[in-house]
Amino acid sequence: MITNRRINVVSERKLNYDKKANLKYKFKIRFIEWLADNIREIFSVIILFLIGIIISIIFVNNINEMQQEEIKTYISDYCLNIKEGKTINQKAVLLDSIKNNFIFIIILWFGGLTIIGIPIVYITVIFKGFTFGYAVSTIIAVLGTGKGCLFAFGSMFLQNLISLPAIFGIAISGIKIYKVIVKNKAKENLKLEICRHTITALICFNVLIVESFMSAYVITILVENIIKSSLSSIFNVSIIAFLLLS
């Protein structure tokens, strides 16, 4: 009896392992197929995002000294308020982040459903690249190239690892459904693509909600602790620059 039970347990474990391995294999195959089917759209979104980053770099490089001092003064005052005991309103950060992400998703979702809306998708991706590049450029301007690049990578990697794929995903879906609307007039195919586009938007929005909670309840706590620590003021300024400008 004991031997039979052991055999059954081993068989169940092997079966569960085979199921997991099969699911991973199917996911891998579907992901590769998705990449192959959407390679042009992926390339287009990446190019648009890079254009936004380039525009932000040009913008930051053309800020005059007076504007730079105003930004540094504002950030320094913000740091001083935190040191004096004022806390970041996490609920307000959460609601503001969710609201901004919701607007992003709605714009990208709606833009993909209409022929005249596709330029809006392009502009939205460029704007996202601009805000990302502006935050990084500001950090580098404060810390210098070497330290600024290292800090920007360390502080922004996790947050954007979650948010950027979601933004890219809905943008790619929007471009793809636009092409279906233009090239394929069949109602059944169009309905199917609209359903897929909507489901993609919902999935991406849920991913961005996770990113919003991280911004509100992880990054804000990290910022407060670093500001209140004995680290140099310039390092504190760079962190708040990232929080406010990203």
Side-chain angles (χ1 to χ4, degrees):
M1 291 292 294
I2 295 175
T3 303
N4 290 334
R5 286 180 182 177
R6 287 180 178 177
I7 292 173
N8 290 334
V9 169
V10 172
S11 298
E12 287 179 4
R13 288 179 179 177
K14 186 178 180 180
L15 183 61
N16 291 332
Y17 176 80
D18 290 339
K19 286 181 179 179
K20 289 180 181 179
N22 191 33
L23 286 173
K24 288 180 181 179
Y25 177 75
K26 287 182 178 179
F27 176 79
K28 183 178 179 180
I29 293 299
R30 287 184 180 180
F31 181 70
I32 293 172
E33 290 175 351
W34 180 84
L35 287 177
D37 293 338
N38 298 280
I39 189 66
R40 291 183 179 180
E41 290 80 7
I42 294 170
F43 184 74
S44 298
V45 169
I46 292 174
I47 291 298
L48 291 169
F49 185 76
L50 291 176
I51 289 172
I53 292 177
I54 292 170
I55 294 172
S56 70
I57 294 172
I58 296 172
F59 181 81
V60 171
N61 288 337
N62 285 282
I63 292 178
N64 58 45
E65 293 183 3
M66 183 178 295
Q67 290 174 319
Q68 289 180 358
E69 288 301 320
E70 287 177 357
I71 292 173
K72 289 180 180 179
T73 300
Y74 175 73
I75 295 171
S76 297
D77 292 340
Y78 192 91
C79 290
L80 183 62
N81 290 332
I82 298 296
K83 286 182 178 180
E84 289 177 348
K86 294 183 180 179
T87 59
I88 299 172
N89 189 333
Q90 294 175 325
K91 185 177 180 181
V93 172
L94 175 64
L95 294 176
D96 188 56
S97 180
I98 291 176
K99 182 187 73 173
N100 291 335
N101 287 331
F102 179 75
I103 292 172
F104 258 105
I105 291 295
I106 288 295
I107 291 173
L108 291 171
W109 174 78
F110 179 76
L113 294 177
T114 59
I115 295 176
I116 61 173
I118 197 64
I120 299 174
V121 174
Y122 294 156
I123 292 171
T124 304
V125 175
I126 291 173
F127 177 75
K128 187 64 178 179
F130 178 86
T131 57
F132 177 84
Y134 189 66
V136 174
S137 299
T138 304
I139 293 172
I140 292 174
V142 174
L143 286 180
T145 304
K147 292 181 180 179
C149 288
L150 288 173
F151 175 77
F153 177 80
S155 61
M156 300 176 67
F157 176 75
L158 183 60
Q159 185 181 15
N160 286 282
L161 185 66
I162 297 173
S163 64
L164 288 183
I167 295 294
F168 285 5
I170 184 63
I172 291 166
S173 178
I175 296 172
K176 186 175 181 179
I177 194 173
Y178 162 76
K179 291 182 178 180
V180 172
I181 293 172
V182 172
K183 295 180 181 180
N184 195 336
K185 303 296 183 180
K187 291 184 178 180
E188 293 300 324
N189 291 336
L190 186 58
K191 287 180 180 179
L192 179 61
E193 289 301 326
I194 290 174
C195 288
R196 287 178 179 175
H197 183 56
T198 303
I199 291 171
T200 300
L202 291 173
I203 293 172
C204 291
F205 181 61
N206 283 307
V207 172
L208 290 174
I209 288 177
V210 173
E211 185 268 338
S212 296
F213 274 93
M214 179 181 293
S215 297
Y217 295 102
V218 177
I219 294 178
T220 54
I221 293 174
L222 176 64
V223 168
E224 287 181 350
N225 289 334
I226 292 177
I227 291 175
K228 293 176 182 178
S229 69
S230 58
L231 295 178
S232 63
S233 60
I234 191 170
F235 193 67
N236 291 337
V237 166
S238 65
I239 294 170
I240 300 303
F242 160 69
L243 180 68
L244 296 179
L245 301 174
S246 62

